[in-house]
């Protein structure tokens, strides 16, 4: 329905915003209006801390990448990542998640 309702990540670690820096952008006008933006260094939690400091709510997030059904950015590493089995439970079976998984399978990112 064109809105973010939740996040799914294999490593949630108690993060409110389970995203990676390569997977989001911030409107500069919005950023400038925030009085105390920070990015604390806590391994694996930098993005979450940054987004929390922006006082964001889920309804403030604009889902892009064809309704979050496409992978447009990912990190590269010097070693080959394992292809992982992804089996979302029923609560994560919405149409855009299924389309995302289909696209990731086509790209041999997951089985």
């Amino acid at each position: 329905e064109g809105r973010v309702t939740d996040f799914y990540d294999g490593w949630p670690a108690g993060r409110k915003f389970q995203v990676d820096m390569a997977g989001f952008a911030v409107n500069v006008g919005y950023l400038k209006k925030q009085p105390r933006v920070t990015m604390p260094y806590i391994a694996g939690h930098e993005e979450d801390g940054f987004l929390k400091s922006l006082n964001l709510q889920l309804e403030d997030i604009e889902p892009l990448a064809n309704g979050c059904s496409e992978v447009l950015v990912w990190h590269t590493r010097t070693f080959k990542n394992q292809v992982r089995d992804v089996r979302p439970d029923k609560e994560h079976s919405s149409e855009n998640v299924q389309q995302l998984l289909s696209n990731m399978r086509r790209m041999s990112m997951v089985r």
Side-chain angles (χ1 to χ4, degrees), residues 41-92:
Y41 179 75
I42 303 170
H45 294 263
E46 295 89 343
E47 298 88 344
D48 186 52
F50 173 69
L51 293 172
K52 284 181 189 177
S53 78
L54 290 173
N55 299 308
L56 288 176
Q57 302 302 314
L58 285 180
E59 56 268 13
D60 297 325
I61 300 172
E62 180 183 3
L64 300 175
N66 195 21
C68 298
S69 68
E70 297 176 352
V71 176
L72 301 179
V73 175
W74 63 88
H75 284 287
T76 58
R77 297 183 182 210
T78 57
F79 61 91
K80 185 170 177 67
N81 288 329
Q82 293 178 345
V83 175
R84 297 176 186 245
D85 289 321
V86 177
R87 296 183 193 111
D89 55 28
K90 289 182 182 178
E91 85 177 61
H92 292 98

